[in-house]
Amino acid sequence: MKPLITGGLTAAAVAGAATATVAAAAEFAGIVPVVGGTPIPAFGFAVLTVLCSVLGLVLALVLARSARHPRTAFVRGTIALTALSLVPDVLADASVATKALLMLTHVVAAAIVIPAIARRLSDR
């Protein structure tokens, strides 16, 4: 379990830094992420990414103990959850550029966290 936890927490930190970097680069390029009239700072992307990544790690820990094929269940489940996470972005009260940025950060985080955790899960 320790490799799963340390790998998952490391992936969460890397994903948080990556999404904050993407958000900062977008701001530098002139895309100010504003949802419902409220600007989202780059640090906010990092915080939410780490929080959601830790929830994904908790899911992996539960599946490691309870699922017949933990890796397969984790990958399928988190890909579905990532796809579902794009729905609020599409529906958000935001510009098209902000919506695209939100969706991009979800995909970036998933591309970092899902494989990092999945490779530490077995499929018994």
Side-chain angles (χ1 to χ4, degrees), residues 17-31:
T19 58
T21 301
V22 168
E27 285 187 47
F28 184 76
I31 301 168

Side-chain angles (χ1 to χ4, degrees), residues 42-65:
F43 180 74
F45 283 86
V47 170
L48 287 175
T49 298
V50 170
L51 177 66
C52 292
S53 297
V54 169
L55 290 175
L57 176 57
V58 170
L59 173 64
L61 290 167
V62 169
L63 291 172
R65 293 185 182 271

Side-chain angles (χ1 to χ4, degrees), residues 82-100:
T82 301
L84 286 173
S85 78
L86 301 177
V87 173
D89 298 342
V90 171
L91 301 175
D93 178 19
S95 70
V96 172
T98 294
K99 291 177 182 187

Side-chain angles (χ1 to χ4, degrees), residues 63 67-75 118 120-124:
L63 291 172
R68 178 175 281 178
H69 302 287
R71 179 184 304 147
T72 300
F74 177 78
V75 170
R120 289 170 174 82
L121 288 170
S122 69
D123 253 352
R124 296 181 204 170

